[in-house]
Amino acid sequence: MKARQNWQGLHKQRKFFDSLAKKLNFSSLDDWYKISRADIRSNGGWGLVKSTAYSGSPIKVLLSVYPEHDWKIWKFKVVPEYFWSDSYHARTLFDWLGQELGYVSFDSWYRISYSEIKSKGCYR
């Protein structure tokens, strides 16, 4: 039986995720967008993710452990339930996407393609 990990303190949590990043050959914080629950579980971090503080959400853990990063929640494989119910999130996505694509007028949106959206990491 595996010993239980002590997750008290952000320093220990960050140390785990820094170590996991090396193991998964992540070279930047943006690589975390492709993480899955299975990746975390198979590497011993599921106890932290399922803790009361994070409610089973890898995204909540990453936001807490790496607060210096400008996270784009919509780039994760799975977004939190009801995320898109809040129009603020859709507006934030489209503001960011328009900036990324160099759109300066509303007319630019008429020519957007799925491949452009996908190229920026937006899949849903």
Side-chain angles (χ1 to χ4, degrees):
M1 181 192 237
K2 265 187 175 178
R4 292 192 77 155
Q5 178 77 20
N6 177 359
W7 295 112
Q8 294 297 320
L10 276 177
H11 172 75
K12 288 181 182 181
Q13 296 170 18
R14 186 169 183 136
K15 186 175 176 181
F16 168 78
F17 279 95
D18 286 346
S19 173
L20 182 56
K22 286 180 186 170
K23 185 175 182 180
L24 298 174
N25 295 315
F26 285 179
S27 59
S28 78
L29 289 174
D30 282 348
D31 289 331
W32 286 110
Y33 291 125
K34 46 188 181 185
I35 194 72
S36 70
R37 290 173 181 227
D39 292 329
I40 297 170
R41 187 177 290 119
S42 67
N43 286 285
W46 192 245
L48 170 61
V49 175
K50 72 176 186 172
S51 70
T52 305
Y54 302 117
S55 310
S57 171
I59 295 172
K60 286 182 182 179
V61 177
L62 291 167
L63 289 168
S64 178
V65 171
Y66 300 109
E68 71 279 8
H69 189 63
D70 183 20
W71 293 104
K72 309 292 187 248
I73 303 302
W74 56 83
K75 287 185 158 192
F76 285 97
K77 288 180 178 182
V78 177
V79 297
E81 189 175 7
Y82 305 113
F83 181 79
W84 294 117
S85 298
D86 185 339
S87 62
Y88 168 81
H89 297 301
R91 177 62 192 244
T92 303
L93 163 65
F94 283 105
D95 286 346
W96 171 83
L97 186 59
Q99 195 170 32
E100 286 287 305
L101 296 171
Y103 289 0
V104 292
S105 72
F106 288 113
D107 288 341
S108 301
W109 288 102
Y110 290 114
R111 69 173 191 266
I112 194 166
S113 68
Y114 177 71
S115 62
E116 286 179 300
I117 295 170
K118 192 173 177 183
S119 76
K120 298 300 179 183
C122 306
Y123 304 103
R124 289 148 220 40

